[in-house]
Amino acid sequence: MLLRKNVCYGPEKVLQSSQISSPITLFDSSPITDGAAAVVLSADKTSRGVYITGSAVACDTIDLSQRESLTELKATQIASKKALEQAGVTIKDIKVAEVHDCFTIAEIMAMEDLGFCPAGAGGKFVESRATRLGGICPINTSGGLKACGHPVGATGVKQIVEITQQLRGNCGSRQVKNANIG
């Protein structure tokens, strides 16, 4: 099922959507939308604390023809390895994640590059229901970019806010049980 602007499309409609670039279809792609994001940081001791224990940045060439592989994002692999080491945790410690899913395949590549599953196993990982609520690591509990739109520049903040709310236990029906690392 795909939700878009309070309209629910069934599997047939999704599978028959217009092809963008084989095999990617319209409903495999997030809409690019206008948006903005702001974060207020506070030392207020009254709220449930959420702490950044690992943070890293890595870059790769934007020119796809210069990349070693079209099925992996080296920058994701490098940054996640550094952030996990900095935090003193492994990928298996992560209880909930928000990954960049501008296209369906991008979510699968992110799960593989982050190490939630081996390279080439992302589709099977999703099929196993591991990424759903109640799975071993729910991913994109907010619905991801395809459900929330993709306001370029604001997307990352939206994802950080979702993880913060998950770790605070404030996500209602989409709350991941025992989410303590995201």
Side-chain angles (χ1 to χ4, degrees):
M1 292 289 194
L2 176 73
L3 290 173
R4 211 176 246 169
K5 293 185 181 177
N6 297 324
V7 176
C8 185
Y9 298 111
E12 301 80 27
K13 179 86 170 175
V14 171
L15 292 172
Q16 295 172 5
S17 66
S18 303
Q19 193 170 74
I20 303 299
S21 179
S22 182
I24 306 297
T25 66
L26 179 64
F27 290 154
D28 283 315
S29 313
S30 66
I32 303 267
T33 57
D34 289 337
V39 174
V40 176
L41 301 175
S42 169
D44 182 359
K45 304 270 191 229
T46 61
S47 63
R48 185 170 163 211
V50 173
Y51 306 95
I52 298 171
T53 57
S55 175
V57 175
C59 298
D60 197 358
T61 179
I62 196 165
D63 185 349
L64 295 177
S65 69
Q66 299 298 311
R67 291 190 181 178
E68 292 176 27
S69 171
L70 295 178
T71 60
E72 61 185 350
L73 299 169
K74 279 287 191 212
T76 301
Q77 295 170 2
I78 294 166
S80 65
K81 183 176 186 244
K82 288 179 180 179
L84 290 167
E85 286 173 1
Q86 195 177 87
V89 298
T90 70
I91 198 68
K92 294 190 184 309
D93 295 315
I94 305 296
K95 301 297 185 241
V96 59
E98 283 281 311
V99 303
H100 195 84
D101 69 334
C102 53
F103 302 96
T104 303
I105 191 65
E107 180 177 52
I108 290 171
M109 289 170 60
M111 290 185 290
E112 292 176 1
D113 289 338
L114 291 166
F116 287 113
C117 58
K124 297 277 187 212
F125 188 63
V126 172
E127 286 177 354
S128 76
R129 304 175 70 92
T131 63
R132 293 188 181 190
L133 279 178
I136 60 171
C137 186
I139 294 178
N140 291 348
T141 52
S142 68
L145 303 180
K146 291 182 296 301
C148 300
H150 183 11
V152 178
T155 296
V157 172
K158 179 211 77 79
Q159 292 177 304
I160 291 168
V161 169
E162 174 66 15
I163 294 299
T164 300
Q165 294 301 319
Q166 283 287 345
L167 298 180
R168 287 185 174 157
N170 296 338
C171 285
S173 63
R174 68 177 192 282
Q175 180 63 50
V176 174
K177 291 181 182 173
N178 304 316
N180 63 344
I181 299 177

